[in-house]
Amino acid sequence: MKLLLTGGAGYIGAHVAALAEREGHSVTIVDDLSTGIANRVPGPVVDINLASPDSVEKLSRLMRDTEFDAVIHLAARKQVGQSVQIPEQYFLDNIGGLANLLLAMRQEDQQKLVFSSSAATYGMPTLDVVDENYPGVPINPYGQTKLIGEWMVKNAANWGLRGVNLRYFNVAGSESKKLADTAELNLIPIAIAQLKRGEQPIVFGTDYPTQDGTCIRDYVHVEDLAKAHLMAVDYLDMPVQEFATFNVGTGQGASVLQVLGELRKASGIEFEEVLADRRPGDPPRLVASTDRIEKIFGFKASFGLKEIVKSAWDAAN
Ligand code: WQD
């Protein structure tokens, strides 16, 4: 297949690109390299800022030059805290970028799209596992842009778009050093960077209503997530798409202390964590129901927490 990947030089995008190429597909990468890294990917990177007004014409030209089988749209801003500081920029880039992409796809009659969505669309769910029908309300502009993105994909069905939204849970791990998550934005990369600087990882909140008092998340290996993207493209080839939205997780929850316990083993460093206050806006528990993706795609994560943390540590060292 010929795939167009936006945000393909990012941490997740580069894993999707690598897997797609290993499976014999040809991949064209669009990335403005604002956070992406060009040498994560072997081929050239087409530099397009999707939110800029000339992107529709540039994307259309690209789609006329190559007849793509599907588009995988990962290009977006993804920092929750930053989205609260500069919400307008998040709406401009995430919503505007997707709008321009859809305009170009419509113009060029390009009908298949896999959209990177997020468990941030659920907000503060109170369920043990959240399924895709849970009427979540995002609690930050980042999550809002992802939910609106899903609505945009849904509306585009009116002109014939076949779209799939993948709601990522907590993505971590790495295939190799080259593809490592170099941004210190999430628990595992933050804690690894702290250890490498000789600092102690910090636990935000130890009084949550969970077994050990720390927050529980569903950590999914980025290689499993990459696999889910290619399964989503195959799903779009089926004559009928019963569902448009799929959780991508493992269905297993792990607490902050459990994650740090695995990091202690992977690193061989006997660190003590710093126990700190809660971070505002953290749901105590966010774990995916994986029933739908298992049943419809046949997807099952093959890596667990141990492999996720070890691969992240190895990639960073
Ligand atoms: C995980 C847990 C923290 C850092 C975010 C986005 C979500 C998705 C994934 C993109 C929480 C705790 C963290 C630290 C800690 N992104 N923590 N010490 O908040 O679950 O999800 O990333 O779609 O939308 O919201 O991920 O990695 O920031 O935190 O104790 O130094 O680790 O409080 O409980 P989060 P995270």
Side-chain angles (χ1 to χ4, degrees):
M1 279 189 292
K2 291 192 177 113
L3 301 172
L4 177 62
L5 241 74
T6 74
Y11 157 64
I12 297 174
H15 278 90
V16 178
L19 179 65
E21 284 179 350
R22 274 204 303 277
E23 293 199 353
H25 305 299
S26 97
V27 177
T28 298
I29 287 172
V30 165
D31 201 302
D32 69 356
L33 299 176
S34 55
T35 54
I37 302 173
N39 67 14
R40 272 197 183 123
V41 289
V45 172
V46 184
D47 183 352
I48 302 176
N49 174 351
L50 298 185
S52 75
D54 62 358
S55 72
V56 180
E57 181 44 37
K58 287 183 179 168
L59 286 165
S60 296
R61 214 176 307 135
L62 204 58
M63 290 173 195
R64 280 198 297 274
D65 288 348
T66 307
E67 209 172 299
F68 295 106
D69 295 288
V71 177
I72 303 180
H73 176 51
L74 299 108
R77 288 179 175 262
K78 63 165 189 179
Q79 299 183 38
V80 172
Q82 189 184 49
S83 81
V84 177
Q85 302 303 321
I86 48 167
E88 302 77 14
Q89 199 64 51
Y90 271 68
F91 283 93
L92 188 67
D93 290 344
N94 290 7
I95 306 287
L98 176 57
N100 286 335
L101 176 65
L102 288 170
L103 283 169
M105 290 180 72
R106 182 175 188 166
Q107 205 167 293
E108 301 307 322
D109 202 23
Q110 174 69 63
Q111 292 180 344
K112 288 186 218 151
L113 176 69
V114 177
F115 172 59
S116 291
S117 187
S118 168
T121 54
Y122 290 121
M124 301 280 264
T126 48
L127 302 176
D128 270 0
V129 290
V130 258
D131 64 72
E132 293 84 348
N133 293 325
Y134 181 80
V137 180
I139 56 163
N140 50 61
Y142 167 71
Q144 290 164 357
T145 66
K146 290 295 175 182
L147 191 56
I148 295 169
E150 291 186 4
W151 296 341
M152 293 165 73
V153 170
K154 188 173 177 192
N155 285 318
N158 293 336
W159 55 260
L161 185 87
R162 290 163 171 250
V164 164
N165 308 306
L166 297 181
R167 289 184 175 162
Y168 308 166
F169 279 66
N170 288 60
V171 186
S174 185
E175 173 211 288
S176 60
K177 282 188 196 301
K178 195 172 114 181
L179 302 192
D181 184 4
T182 48
E184 287 177 44
L185 297 173
N186 294 106
L187 174 61
I188 295 172
I190 290 173
I192 289 174
Q194 285 165 328
L195 288 184
K196 289 179 71 175
R197 288 194 295 263
E199 298 165 11
Q200 293 160 284
I202 302 166
V203 179
F204 295 142
T206 52
D207 59 349
Y208 284 99
T210 61
Q211 221 166 10
D212 63 19
T214 67
C215 285
I216 292 179
R217 295 289 181 273
D218 186 334
Y219 294 90
V220 57
H221 198 296
V222 65
E223 285 193 80
D224 280 323
L225 178 67
K227 203 170 63 182
H229 286 80
L230 298 184
M231 289 175 146
V233 172
D234 289 341
Y235 174 68
L236 291 175
D237 279 329
M238 313 269 277
V240 177
Q241 281 78 50
E242 191 185 351
F243 301 107
T245 302
F246 294 83
N247 285 342
V248 193
T250 63
Q252 302 295 318
S255 72
V256 175
L257 288 180
Q258 283 174 315
V259 171
L260 295 179
E262 288 300 341
L263 184 55
R264 211 174 274 116
K265 288 187 224 158
S267 66
I269 304 173
E270 277 303 322
F271 61 86
E272 293 281 326
E273 46 284 275
V274 176
L275 304 180
D277 287 344
R278 289 184 180 197
R279 188 177 70 172
D282 272 335
R285 180 182 171 91
L286 193 56
V287 177
S289 160
T290 53
D291 291 353
R292 181 179 288 179
I293 195 163
E294 274 182 35
K295 182 161 167 262
I296 308 289
F297 288 9
F299 170 87
K300 197 149 177 54
S302 49
F303 298 108
L305 185 65
K306 188 185 166 77
E307 290 108 338
I308 291 172
V309 174
K310 174 138 185 19
S311 70
W313 174 261
D314 290 346
N317 285 280

